[in-house]
Amino acid sequence: MDSTREEMSLDVLYVGGGPANMAGAIHLMRLAKEKGMDIEVGLIEKGDEIGAHSLSGAILDPIALAELIPDYGSRECPIEFSQCQDTFYFLTATRQYKVPFVPKFLHNDGCHIISLSKFTRWLGDIAENEGVNIFPGFAGTDVLYDTDSGSVKGVGTGDKGVDAEGKQKPNFEPGIDLTARVTVFGEGSKGSLIRKIGRKKNIFPHEAPQTFETAIKEVIELPKENRVLESETTVIHTFGYPLGMNTKGGAFLYRMTGNRISLGLVIGLDYEAPMLEPYSAFIQLKKHPLIAEIIAGGKVLQQGAKTLNTGGYYTMPTVAIGGALFVGDSASMLNAQRLKGIHTAMKSGMLAAETIIDAFEKDDFSNHSLSGYRTRIEKSWIHEEQYRSRNFSQALSKKGPAKWLHLGAQFFSNGTGAVDPMATHADHSAMKPVGSVPPDWPDESDRKEGDAFDGNLYVDKLTGVFLSGTTHIEDQPCHLIVQDLDLCRTRCFREYRNPCTRFCPAQVYEIVADESGNRKLKLNPSNCLHCKTCEIKDPYQNITWNCPEGGGGPKYTIT
Ligand SMILES: Cc1cc2nc3c(=O)[nH]c(=O)nc-3n(C[C@H](O)[C@H](O)[C@H](O)COP(=O)(O)OP(=O)(O)OC[C@H]3O[C@@H](n4cnc5c(N)ncnc54)[C@H](O)[C@@H]3O)c2cc1C
């Protein structure tokens, strides 16, 4: 069987089909046409179609969209709702208290509620019409470098048709080496290629490690007569229960069309309690009286999980190196204070496109030439937003009164606060050994087994995986590398009771007994939702997440 890798040469290669790269590719094609340039542009996406791996809240601030597609309103942009009425609640285990004052950054006037999956697909169609060659089902697995200059010269896609032992199957297709004058990386949160580039080119600020949150989200169909649908409320934010006050995070509930709502719980991955299980916390949220009443009689249509990077301004990597640019969540563009990153991702893609056009005009794709991208970001509204919220997530991570002091100080000083910059810490280092921290979230042990799930509105993890549409070819090399399996059955069990079995929302990690009755880690990689929580939160950094064969993973359509 011929295993020779083909090479395909492009002018610009986009890795990742999220809003950052879609907006960037559309802008690039239009600018190139205006300038009379004929450029070959390709985009690869690991999902089996555009939008399949897109999951977000999502409330869209249309600022970048209006710059890119001013007439989006008349171009069938898939908007769910436009009159965003915000309400904000503090939850205890049994009660809710409406906060009379909704902070300005949580106001969503002028924003649209969307499904990111639908929105990205819509952008994808526009990009294709502009002439972008879109290749869904192709995962970038290697970064290619020019041997002389050391610049990035493209990406290698993964082989297809390889079995679990690494042998070629009858349907084997070798990966392709996609080379380009410039490659734009928009892999979203915790990209696997940017991780490799980071190691080689030292692009991440060591003094400010990136921080993350993880989220579980559902789209629920409600009965027609429903409180939330009858009221003016379109957006609900909550904090407090089920996470308590020392674990960062909160819930969102957004109204969608067709009697649907989007419900999610976001949890800071710097949580300390090893027994915390984000999925259980999500179920507890759904059973809180405020939420349970709203969703009563409903049915979960789709479920999924994803991480988002919240470190913001001080955790931004070097955004341009020779032959490569980094956009969107990959470049830490998300505004954690507003829990919004779609508009900044899109704008960063557009600024990258303008930089690329300049580089073509100069015929110079060196680090020096592409660094104009950083300057563009600094002069744009992305910088204003990022700078204003530069210490927000760090303040939220504080415990007790310190949290409120820092948040208050930032509120009155436009982001500067009491300490600037506030330090960030890698999330995996936050976990405390079992028994050393009180569970800062309600214990579920008193819940009667069997009461938790009904298979319809309250679904268990495996049903959730089914509802995400996730599939992978089973017989392929495991995309999750656990470096030291011994550690799992010894130290990790002793110190943290194998938290991977809890922080993974898809039951990918299980502890089972081997033939001799000893504990061993069993992996179910086919369940993987590509959220990457495991690589971020594993306390020993013993897990590496790589892209599985292209086309595998969730098949989100309305998230
Ligand atoms: C639960 C949740 C709620 C959110 N709520 C909001 C909100 O209300 N408003 C808002 O503005 N933002 C929100 N965000 C953030 C927002 O979704 C992101 O900031 C935004 O999607 C980032 O866009 P991106 O293009 O950088 O990355 P992504 O949207 O993550 O897209 C990256 C794409 O790249 C693909 N990819 C990754 N690696 C590879 C590879 N190696 N090869 C090929 N393809 C690859 C992925 O499959 C994916 O499709 C939320 C996020 C979450 C998780």
Side-chain angles (χ1 to χ4, degrees):
M1 205 171 297
D2 186 10
S3 54
T4 321
R5 292 174 70 87
E6 273 182 38
E7 187 177 320
M8 185 194 272
S9 175
L10 298 156
D11 292 309
V12 183
L13 169 65
Y14 284 96
V15 181
N21 272 350
M22 284 304 176
I26 294 169
H27 196 47
L28 179 73
M29 294 311 282
R30 291 182 178 166
L31 290 174
K33 263 174 221 156
E34 271 170 37
K35 303 254 176 193
M37 291 176 181
D38 184 18
I39 53 173
E40 193 70 34
V41 178
L43 181 150
I44 57 167
E45 163 56 47
K46 66 179 164 61
D48 86 331
E49 62 170 328
I50 298 301
H53 290 184
S54 296
L55 179 142
S56 186
I59 298 187
L60 172 73
D61 178 336
I63 176 168
L65 176 63
E67 288 176 24
L68 182 70
I69 307 171
D71 59 344
Y72 66 89
S74 57
R75 295 191 60 178
E76 295 180 353
C77 178
I79 292 170
E80 302 281 325
F81 257 92
S82 285
Q83 281 83 40
C84 294
Q85 298 269 355
D86 299 274
T87 34
F88 192 30
Y89 290 96
F90 168 66
L91 304 185
T92 65
T94 53
R95 306 192 66 156
Q96 67 266 8
Y97 299 92
K98 196 166 181 175
V99 180
F101 161 72
V102 179
K104 201 169 155 213
F105 55 81
L106 283 179
H107 276 280
N108 289 298
D109 313 322
C111 293
H112 306 301
I113 298 174
I114 58 166
S115 141
L116 187 63
S117 176
K118 287 193 202 170
F119 180 69
T120 315
R121 253 194 326 274
W122 177 76
L123 287 176
D125 288 343
I126 296 174
E128 211 152 25
N129 284 335
E130 295 287 347
V132 180
N133 301 294
I134 298 187
F135 305 105
F138 285 86
T141 50
D142 285 302
V143 184
L144 310 173
Y145 297 94
D146 183 275
T147 37
D148 296 330
S149 65
S151 291
V152 172
K153 69 162 192 185
V155 154
T157 67
D159 293 340
K160 294 184 175 188
V162 177
D163 74 11
E165 265 74 57
K167 294 198 200 83
Q168 295 177 5
K169 295 190 277 188
N171 63 343
F172 176 75
E173 278 176 39
I176 305 170
D177 286 343
L178 296 163
T179 58
R181 314 287 306 273
V182 58
T183 305
V184 187
F185 292 86
E187 295 183 286
S189 161
K190 199 70 183 170
S192 44
L193 294 181
I194 198 175
R195 176 189 65 221
K196 291 185 184 186
I197 297 174
R199 282 193 194 133
K200 196 172 166 92
K201 300 280 183 186
N202 204 16
I203 63 169
F204 294 112
H206 293 293
E207 69 288 359
Q210 185 55 266
T211 60
F212 297 86
E213 296 179 0
T214 192
I216 296 149
K217 175 199 165 158
E218 288 179 345
V219 176
I220 302 175
E221 186 168 56
L222 303 180
K224 285 214 169 55
E225 306 73 34
N226 182 281
R227 216 187 89 192
V228 73
L229 298 177
E230 283 160 9
S231 77
E232 287 300 300
T233 300
T234 42
V235 176
I236 295 175
H237 314 270
T238 75
F239 71 108
Y241 184 86
L243 301 175
M245 296 311 290
N246 284 338
T247 299
K248 188 163 71 173
F252 60 84
L253 188 153
Y254 306 150
R255 186 170 171 178
M256 298 173 81
T257 50
N259 297 329
R260 294 169 178 185
I261 56 143
S262 165
L263 175 69
L265 180 67
V266 183
I267 302 177
L269 280 175
D270 59 350
Y271 67 79
E272 293 180 341
M275 300 309 284
L276 192 154
E277 179 155 20
Y279 194 91
S280 302
F282 179 61
I283 299 294
Q284 287 176 299
L285 168 80
K286 289 175 71 178
K287 296 203 168 189
H288 184 277
L290 173 76
I291 307 295
E293 192 191 350
I294 295 171
I295 64 176
K299 177 181 170 50
V300 180
L301 299 179
Q302 217 158 80
Q303 192 192 82
K306 202 164 189 288
T307 51
L308 48 150
N309 42 359
T310 51
Y313 180 77
Y314 288 121
T315 61
M316 271 168 74
T318 304
V319 291
I321 57 173
L325 296 168
F326 307 102
V327 295
D329 280 11
S330 279
S332 192
M333 298 282 169
L334 183 134
N335 178 342
Q337 193 180 37
R338 299 180 69 203
L339 190 69
K340 284 188 181 55
I342 303 170
H343 64 305
T344 46
M346 291 176 73
K347 180 70 178 175
S348 68
M350 292 160 70
L351 297 175
E354 290 164 23
T355 312
I356 294 169
I357 291 290
D358 272 5
F360 272 105
E361 285 181 326
K362 292 186 275 186
D363 195 25
D364 180 359
F365 300 89
S366 64
N367 178 16
H368 176 71
S369 166
L370 294 178
S371 62
Y373 171 49
R374 175 85 207 197
T375 316
R376 282 187 160 86
I377 292 171
E378 272 160 16
K379 288 187 179 155
S380 75
W381 52 257
I382 296 186
H383 176 78
E384 274 169 46
E385 274 205 28
Q386 290 287 75
Y387 197 66
R388 213 181 307 128
S389 58
R390 65 196 178 278
N391 292 309
F392 180 78
S393 182
Q394 294 85 319
L396 267 194
S397 290
K398 294 279 176 206
K399 314 263 179 270
K403 183 198 299 267
W404 302 108
L405 285 173
H406 281 290
L407 286 174
Q410 286 176 26
F411 186 80
F412 290 110
S413 62
N414 218 7
T416 307
V419 182
D420 182 23
M422 283 181 80
T424 60
H425 305 281
D427 293 316
H428 67 86
S429 62
M431 196 177 273
K432 298 263 167 48
V434 72
S436 68
V437 271
D440 181 45
W441 64 300
D443 189 16
E444 279 206 287
S445 53
D446 59 352
R447 192 184 67 205
K448 276 197 241 103
E449 272 311 307
D451 278 359
F453 306 116
D454 64 7
N456 198 41
L457 179 58
Y458 299 100
V459 301
D460 63 13
K461 282 187 183 179
L462 290 183
T463 311
V465 172
F466 173 75
L467 290 171
S468 71
T470 297
T471 53
H472 290 91
I473 290 165
E474 298 268 343
D475 189 15
Q476 65 169 300
C478 184
H479 70 281
L480 301 159
I481 311 298
V482 181
Q483 280 90 2
D484 183 352
L485 282 167
D486 246 14
L487 187 67
C488 308
R489 51 174 202 87
T490 54
R491 223 179 121 195
C492 188
F493 175 78
R494 231 179 17 250
E495 294 182 336
Y496 302 109
R497 293 285 185 279
N498 301 112
C500 59
T501 59
R502 290 178 293 282
F503 56 60
C504 171
Q507 218 166 300
V508 168
Y509 300 89
E510 283 184 279
I511 296 292
V512 295
D514 68 12
E515 311 79 51
S516 329
N518 297 321
R519 268 186 303 274
K520 74 163 190 182
L521 183 70
K522 176 176 172 250
L523 294 175
N524 306 304
S526 299
N527 291 356
C528 180
L529 298 173
H530 297 206
C531 72
K532 305 175 186 174
T533 304
C534 53
E535 180 170 315
I536 297 164
K537 190 57 183 170
D538 178 65
Y540 306 101
Q541 292 294 275
N542 195 24
I543 302 173
T544 305
W545 192 98
N546 292 316
C547 281
E549 193 173 305
K555 294 191 178 44
Y556 301 134
T557 55
I558 51 174
T559 52

